[in-house]
Amino acid sequence: MIAQVIVDVAAKQTDRVFEYHIPKELTDVAVGSRVVVPFGRRKVQGFVVGISETTSYTGKLKDLLVVIDELPPLTPELIALSKTLADKIFSYRITILQSMLPRVMKANYRKILVPLTDEIKENTLFKGEPLDLNEVSDLETIIKIKKLIKNNQAKIEYLVENKAKKKQVTAYLLTKTRTEYQDILGGIRTTAKNQRALLNNIVEKYNEYPKLGSTIESELGISSSTLRAAEKKGWLLKKEQEIYRNPLKDFESNASKHSVRLNSEQLDALNSIGTSIEEKEAKTFLLEGITGSGKTEVYLHAISTTLEQNRNALMLVPEISLTPQMVKQVKERFGDNVAVLHSGLSEGEKYDEWRRIRRGEAQVVVGARSAIFAPLKNIGLIVIDEEHESSYKQNDTPRYHARDVALLRSKFHNCPVVLGSATPSLSSRARAQKGRYELLRLTKRANQRSLPKVDLIDLKTVEFAGGQFDLSIPLVDAIKEKIAKKEQVILLLNRRGFASFMLCRNCGFVLKCPNCDISLTLHKDTGQMQCHYCGHKEPIPRKCPHCQSEKIRFLGTGTQKVQEELETLLPDAKILRMDVDTTRRKGSYKKILDSFGNHQADILLGTQMIAKGLDFPNVTLVGVINADTALSLPDFNSSEKTFDLLTQVAGRAGRAEKTGRVMIQTYNPENYAIKLAQNQDYEGFYQKEMQVRFQGNYPPFFYTTLITVTSKNEQSAAKEAFVIKRKLMRELHAPTIILGPTPSSVAKIKNQYYYQILVKYKYEPKLHELLHQIQDDAQLAQKRGLNIYIDNEPERIM
């Protein structure tokens, strides 16, 4: 038998299938298996993408060496999907295959020097073991190594190591009958308390064995020495046993069969989705529901319908911060059938959840973007909550959009996709208007409460509380009023840190990142200036680094500064801050949200991660510190992002019995995105923004492709970008539009200069092949220090 293998070498020359002979002893090779194969002088990992009985190759095929996993980690569907995606998003196939797996399952390669004679084995260089060449850096040792290789006294070998480790625990099995243990117990002296406690436990709870050693020790209050003694006497048999790490151990474990009564709109939506589930239709639904309209309940009922059909369900959420609340609801409804996949898990937890899914031990998967590749079989429903969110698009290679992958998986499994949002993306809504998606609407809140009242505060005319010009007096008064009533407040500022930049009032110097074309942000809690692009940090200056003047100021604002000001203005209020800086540690998202949910804080202050999906009954006021942060971005969809964010965060108020209120601070109260968000008027915004997009020839009226060229040398990046543009101009013609090349809005990131070309087109048959040529040429450009990236339908053009 012949295995077709994609090898773990991301290059133009290796982006194809290689064939290997399958030895008779390797009976467990299947499509989707991870294998180790010889490749040139080294060994590499690869994926089996096909198996055949014959080959057209006339020479002798090399043998496949090792099958890494007991069960192939990827399904045949995912293997086929990788080929389709590679063509669509201009990526090497191996890169997509690796993206489908948890990071811990990626190969770890080691280059070692192996001695070839007994004499050389005793050389101090080896110390009885092969030498890891990755750890060698000094010139003297390198010269010695070269001499050994030249004299055939040592050779270089390449090892492929599997980083994924199973969690093993010690379990104890019984070796005798219950009657035999009773007889042994009768012969044990009364002073041997630990042994008698163990034997009593075995007799009384005979059917509960085998048991974990740690469980026995904690239940009986005995030490491991007692268990070792029991093993020596032949009472117990010790065995290493694999267990799953459980990321859901802090969630309620009992599945709840109670069902929320749906209103007529929810029932209509559910019936439409349910029909497609039962009839196995690859149909896409756009569930457009105002905030608080009960979209989640529609999802949960639809998942129940899917499970009743003995099929599996996949549900995506955009932010890790949403996952705890969403997982809690799904876990309460479906119990141990639920698995979770997101970047907040440890590597071990991700590995174990992945294997649970692959083994068919979980029927419902909840996760963020990468969970779209969960190795589920027999999928009956795919849900993408908050489908408008840009976080569903991967910003680096491979640049896939989870929604596009969901539609491909839907066709394979003949199952519906439900895209849910209070503010659908314009592209999704336009597809619904054309009938490509079926539009389902929820126009009223599930609890029959009205939407919160939204007030705009014009920062150009209002008076401020405190001295920082962040919090207006009306907003602070409203916060005080809510706290006095024992109600809670959510405050949004989509900018972290303390101050945006440092300015010298004497010479005008702004402290910038040495690696990026961006100012450093002051982080007062760590006492550092920090770059939010590359992570560069340096101490807070006391003098201007340029002219040594002490007349420096820290301008702009962030969540840290607002928190400090709130603590001054409201000394008795308990404030929680939720941003990237406070949620770095594992479990921090859940800890903050649980604390706020248990009313251990009055105010939750955060960035956009608090703007959507959260449901706290006691929140009656939402304040937006500055609604203009996204409006100033040089991007075609900045108005859409502003409208989405404001509408979503406004929906966090008044979700239960108490009336909600929203206060939005802005310098642009007449801007249509802010004005329409005040009334939560999605229909009005859709009509207005579609006119703007039509006039500017932007999506959804045009398709877009962004080509980015980067280099450490700015002239080289610009020159290559113009070469690419000329190539495009020769092949493409009107009405296709080619913009650029221009420097990115942040021209330098991590010491790389960025130049961009934007192609806008309606129908361009030559473009696909042309982009693949550019992708192939990128490898040659890389040798000249250039990187070329192709992004189909980019979420950001900056």
Side-chain angles (χ1 to χ4, degrees), residues 558-703:
T559 48
Q560 289 181 19
K561 184 186 280 188
V562 171
Q563 181 181 9
E564 186 176 280
E565 190 172 0
L566 284 167
E567 287 167 349
T568 303
L569 295 170
L570 307 166
D572 297 327
K574 178 72 169 68
I575 302 161
L576 288 172
R577 193 177 93 238
M578 191 166 172
D579 54 29
V580 171
D581 301 312
T582 62
T583 53
R584 293 187 191 280
R585 299 185 70 177
K586 185 177 179 292
S588 52
Y589 290 92
K590 186 175 186 300
K591 186 178 178 182
I592 292 171
L593 294 176
D594 284 351
S595 296
F596 191 67
N598 295 329
H599 206 159
Q600 294 170 7
D602 305 297
I603 300 171
L604 177 62
L605 165 68
T607 53
Q608 66 177 5
M609 61 177 65
I610 65 165
K612 46 200 167 284
L614 305 184
D615 191 348
F616 296 110
N618 201 38
V619 172
T620 55
L621 174 65
V622 167
V624 179
I625 308 298
N626 188 341
D628 310 322
T629 51
L631 274 181
S632 59
L633 296 176
D635 215 345
F636 76 96
N637 55 11
S638 59
S639 293
E640 183 182 2
K641 298 303 178 193
T642 298
F643 177 84
D644 291 348
L645 187 62
L646 296 180
T647 305
Q648 293 285 340
V649 76
R652 301 313 107 208
R655 296 178 70 89
E657 297 304 314
K658 298 173 183 177
T659 303
R661 186 183 182 191
V662 181
M663 303 179 79
I664 298 175
Q665 298 187 154
T666 174
Y667 286 99
N668 298 283
E670 299 306 317
N671 182 281
Y672 68 92
I674 292 173
K675 200 75 178 171
L676 291 166
Q678 179 185 15
N679 301 319
Q680 302 213 21
D681 182 4
Y682 176 78
E683 297 305 316
F685 177 78
Y686 174 74
Q687 298 299 332
K688 173 66 177 174
E689 185 67 11
M690 286 292 275
Q691 291 174 15
V692 174
R693 299 285 181 90
F694 179 76
Q695 291 167 357
N697 297 322
Y698 278 106
F701 296 99
F702 275 69
Y703 298 108

Side-chain angles (χ1 to χ4, degrees), residues 214-234:
S214 57
T215 303
I216 299 171
E217 290 171 23
S218 61
E219 280 182 0
L220 305 182
I222 63 175
S223 67
S224 57
S225 60
T226 303
L227 292 173
R228 286 197 297 270
E231 185 191 4
K232 282 183 181 178
K233 293 173 188 269

